[in-house]
């Protein structure tokens, strides 16, 4: 299976990155292809709602007018059979950088091969996930008609714990 992970953490070696790496290692052990896009290290602007991508019978249908690093992500989205959203949770939602990448998926409407999704979240508290879960369940699972492969979270001392990283690695192997 071809898996795309959108890692919304600004910290290259933080808690979310450790969870993503554990998941990816497990998935690769089982022969899956995993592409990790560190969206915070990319230049991805928010959607401008210009509708350029929606012009039917044009030479630019399904193409965003903005020529930034999201252009590297679009082919990965169309090839992916599974998407994993990974983010530290700030104020009950995804990081702003991940939110920009999510909003820009609008240009594709529905990626061509996408069938499954999962969510990985990290925080300092276990009572802050509601906004991210709502968006995941409604924007991804419901709207894109994707199969939910699971939601994984870690907070406080669970972050980078052997048990949590083993759980994520096993999740990757279970696919």
């Amino acid at each position: 299976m071809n898996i795309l992970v959108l890692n919304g953490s600004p910290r290259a070696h933080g808690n979310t990155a450790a969870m993503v790496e554990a998941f990816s290692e497990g998935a690769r052990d089982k022969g899956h292809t995993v592409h990790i896009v560190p969206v915070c290290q990319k230049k991805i602007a928010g959607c401008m709602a210009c509708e350029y991508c929606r012009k039917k019978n044009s030479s630019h249908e399904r193409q965003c007018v903005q020529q930034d690093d999201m252009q590297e992500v679009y082919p990965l989205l169309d090839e992916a059979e599974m998407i994993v959203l990974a983010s530290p949770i700030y104020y009950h939602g995804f990081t702003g950088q991940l939110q920009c990448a999510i909003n820009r998926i609008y240009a594709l409407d529905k990626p061509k091969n996408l069938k499954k999704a999962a969510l990985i979240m990290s925080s300092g508290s276990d009572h802050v996930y509601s906004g991210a879960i709502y968006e995941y369940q409604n924007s991804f699972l419901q709207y894109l008609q994707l199969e939910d492969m699971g939601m994984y979270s870690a907070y406080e001392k669970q972050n980078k714990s052997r048990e949590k990283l083993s759980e994520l690695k096993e999740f990757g192997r279970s696919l």
Side-chain angles (χ1 to χ4, degrees), residues 40-56:
C40 294
Q41 282 75 51
K42 302 287 184 184
K43 297 236 185 268
I44 299 175
C47 178
M48 298 187 314
C50 67
E51 297 296 320
Y52 178 88
C53 59
R54 293 283 196 255
K55 298 214 186 319
K56 299 283 186 205

Side-chain angles (χ1 to χ4, degrees), residues 19 82 84-85 94 117-121 129-130 132-138 141 147-154 164 167-168 171:
M19 294 170 72
M82 179 176 174
V84 178
L85 301 178
F94 300 125
L119 179 60
I120 296 174
M121 303 172 287
Y129 302 120
S130 59
I133 291 171
Y134 178 86
E135 180 162 353
Y136 170 72
Q137 290 175 332
N138 291 282
L141 301 181
E147 178 183 353
D148 182 12
M149 300 307 290
M151 292 185 282
Y152 295 84
S153 62
K164 188 55 69 172
E167 178 184 0
L168 269 293
F171 168 50

Side-chain angles (χ1 to χ4, degrees), residues 5-9 37 39-40 44 70 83-89 93-105 119-120 135 140:
V5 179
L6 297 180
N7 179 359
S9 177
V37 176
V39 297
C40 294
I44 299 175
M70 194 65 187
I83 188 168
V84 178
L85 301 178
S87 183
I89 303 303
F94 300 125
T95 60
Q97 297 94 327
L98 180 58
Q99 192 62 58
C100 283
I102 290 169
N103 290 351
R104 293 280 298 282
I105 295 173
L119 179 60
I120 296 174
E135 180 162 353
F140 281 83

